[in-house]
Structure formats: structure tokens, C-alpha cells
Amino acid sequence: MADNSFHGVIIIDKPPGITSHTAVKRAKKILKVRKAGHAGTLDPFATGVLIICINEGTKLVPFLMEEEKEYEAALRLGVETDTQDLTGSIIREDKAVTITTTDIESVFRKFQGKITQIPPMYSALKHNGVPLYRLARQGKEVERLGRDIEIRELMISAIELPRVFFRVVCSKGTYVRTLASDIGKGLGCGASLETLKRVRSGDFLIKHALDLDDLAKKTLEEIQTEWLISLPKALPSIPAVAIDAMIARQVCLGKIITCGELQDRGLLIPPGRKKTLKILDPQGRMIAMAETLGPGNGNRDWEKPAWKLLRVFNVV
């Protein structure tokens, strides 16, 4: 029987050899929950932080996906594959790679900052409704538009030719496989990603993660008290607004709340640019995610809606 009392996220250390979807299915079965999903795919060969959202926590997926990611990885110089990692078929190989440390460091520096990346064919992006990886398996290649991403940090950890170990902090939508391939092209010898471990997703570190085997050994009570991250705590970087019971009831019904209604209760949203908020009821439960609508109610336009509701949570 499904347990609908679990709401929040659990951080899993995904093992190699399974898809993120399979990891979610296993966690869902262990937890006996009705709904589960993940906030950011890891390739089957990759390991590390996989945020699994439970029941009402699945409504947090688009917000968690926005968070930056951090990886530890290794690329193999002199090998190019159709998947841009070593699980694919080799399309070019140079067994006599002679690249200097200076050249490697120079090329790495070129990929720091805001860059444009062309998504790989072996990806879940869709073309006319068909995932690209299905087309790739049929030997087809279609034109892909470049996407703007940001490589916020790119640090070489060690060079042990033909391998280069590195750490990368990047924006959402970054393909580390493609980054490795592009670095190889920049060096002129080609490269493929050999290992990939996500060590951070947003505020969640690998030390917060539990592997699936250990998850299966714990009781549901242990998981709920020690490992389940509540809805309000799942997005610690987003500010929270606590409202009274009357406003909370209206929010749960999806009703518009005006700036004047908040002002009457001594609740003001500071003026400024649009921002996302967590809306909490008097018990501290998160009942909604909302976006302010511009300058806030500091402009004394009291009939203006205080916010736009993005998600409403059924946790009461």
C-alpha cells in the first residue's frame, strides 16, 4: 500500500550501471510511496548525488533543476566515441598522445565562464517528439541548436596521461561529456569522458547521500526522521514568508492574495525585482511556491496581487 505521508526529498548516491529512472523506481519501491521523481538526470555510467523527490516533493523538481551542479570527472585523451564517453563505440583513437601540461591548462581555461554548447546526439532531448538517443541508435544525426551554459569553475586535479582528472561547477543543462569532448578537440587529440561523479547538486552534497542498498536496510521511520528532507528545507536558498491561517486557507484554494490583504496583517513583501518565495503556514509547513510580481507591495498598489502562485502543495 502506498504511503502518502512522505513529502520531501531524499538524496541518493546513484551507483554506476543503472539509469536515474531505475534508481527512482527502486527508491519508490523501498519507500512504498505513490509518486517519485528525480531532479537532474545522471548517465548510467555516472555516480553521485541524485535528488529523489517524494509525493508532493515532486512539485519541487523544476526549482531544484535550476540549481548549479558540481562534478568530479576524468577524461581520456586520444579517444573519441559516438557517445562522448567510454561506454560508446570508438570512432577515433590516438594511442600516442603527447600533450604538455601547459597546453592542457591553456585549453581548460578557454572553457571557463559563459560558453555555448551543442547537446550530444546521445541525450534525452527531443527532435519532433523523438528522443535524440533513439535517432542516434538508428545511425541518424540531426542539427542541434547551441545552448548557453556557464562553467563557473573548472579546475584540473591531476594529469596522468592519457587521463586528466578535473572538477567542474556548472549551470543546469551542462553536458560534462560534451565538455570533455570539446576539450579534446581543442587539444587536437580528441577525448572522451571516462568517469563522472556528481558531488553536489544545489545545496546537497555527496555526504548527505545514501546508497540504495543502505536505504533498503532502514526502516521507514528511520528514513522519515533521519533522511527525508522536508519541503521547506529542500530549497534553503529561497526566502520564506510565513502567513496566518486565514491567508493560508485562501492560498491552498488557489485564491489571489492582494498586497492590501498582506499589509492588513502586517506582512509586506519588500520592493525589488521579481523573486521566488516559499509560502509557509503557521505550523511551518510549505503550502506553496510563489513569484513576486515586480516592485512588491511597497508601491502601495494594494489591490495588486501579492504574488503569482507557481505550485500549491497538498500537505495539510
Side-chain angles (χ1 to χ4, degrees), residues 36-91:
H38 65 77
T41 303
L42 279 172
D43 289 331
F45 81 96
T47 65
V49 173
L50 184 69
I51 300 177
I52 295 185
C53 302
I54 306 299
N55 286 332
E56 288 296 286
T58 56
K59 295 177 181 177
L60 295 177
V61 167
F63 306 99
L64 292 165
M65 292 279 284
E66 291 292 321
E67 304 286 289
E68 72 177 14
K69 312 294 190 295
E70 181 174 348
Y71 299 90
E72 292 176 353
L75 61 80
R76 175 89 68 85
L77 297 176
V79 178
E80 289 185 293
T81 72
D82 55 358
T83 60
Q84 300 179 336
D85 61 57
L86 293 187
T87 67
S89 300
I90 295 175
I91 55 179

Side-chain angles (χ1 to χ4, degrees), residues 100-107 109:
T100 68
T101 296
T102 300
D103 287 340
I104 294 171
E105 291 173 343
S106 176
V107 169
R109 283 194 293 270

Side-chain angles (χ1 to χ4, degrees), residues 116-299:
T116 300
Q117 189 179 71
I118 297 176
M121 277 300 299
Y122 280 89
S123 67
L125 295 178
K126 293 183 179 180
H127 175 75
N128 294 332
V130 180
L132 290 181
Y133 65 81
R134 289 188 183 172
L135 298 175
R137 288 170 182 167
Q138 296 169 13
K140 300 176 182 178
E141 183 165 353
V142 297
E143 184 178 357
R144 287 96 66 204
L145 296 177
R147 306 201 310 184
D148 294 332
I149 61 165
E150 185 175 2
I151 306 297
R152 289 163 190 162
E153 294 182 40
L154 184 59
M155 300 289 294
I156 296 173
S157 306
I159 298 174
E160 300 173 7
L161 293 179
R163 294 175 178 83
V164 180
F165 300 87
F166 63 98
R167 181 177 68 86
V168 58
V169 178
C170 53
S171 64
K172 71 166 187 175
T174 300
Y175 288 93
V176 184
R177 283 183 286 131
T178 301
L179 177 64
S181 176
D182 289 345
I183 288 172
K185 289 183 175 68
L187 289 167
C189 62
S192 292
L193 196 64
E194 184 171 71
T195 63
L196 181 66
K197 182 174 186 177
R198 185 189 286 160
V199 295
R200 179 171 66 87
S201 181
D203 291 284
F204 300 117
L205 308 177
I206 190 67
K207 68 180 181 181
H208 299 138
L210 190 65
D211 69 43
L212 286 168
D213 288 339
D214 286 341
L215 182 70
K217 294 174 185 176
K218 296 188 179 296
T219 66
L220 294 181
E221 183 179 1
E222 286 176 320
I223 294 168
Q224 192 161 23
T225 57
E226 298 176 23
W227 295 95
L228 183 70
I229 300 163
S230 67
L231 298 178
K233 293 181 179 178
L235 291 164
S237 59
I238 294 179
V241 173
I243 58 179
D244 62 28
M246 182 178 293
I247 297 292
R249 283 194 293 272
Q250 294 182 50
V251 168
C252 290
L253 293 172
K255 292 186 176 180
I256 294 173
I257 308 299
T258 67
C259 296
E261 287 177 283
L262 292 187
Q263 194 270 344
D264 289 343
R265 289 166 172 77
L267 296 169
L268 289 178
I269 299 172
R273 61 183 178 84
K274 289 184 180 181
K275 60 184 173 183
T276 304
L277 298 173
K278 297 180 292 194
I279 310 298
L280 309 182
D281 71 3
Q283 288 74 45
R285 296 173 297 195
M286 191 158 81
I287 58 173
M289 295 288 295
E291 181 183 63
T292 60
L293 297 175
N297 49 11
N299 62 5

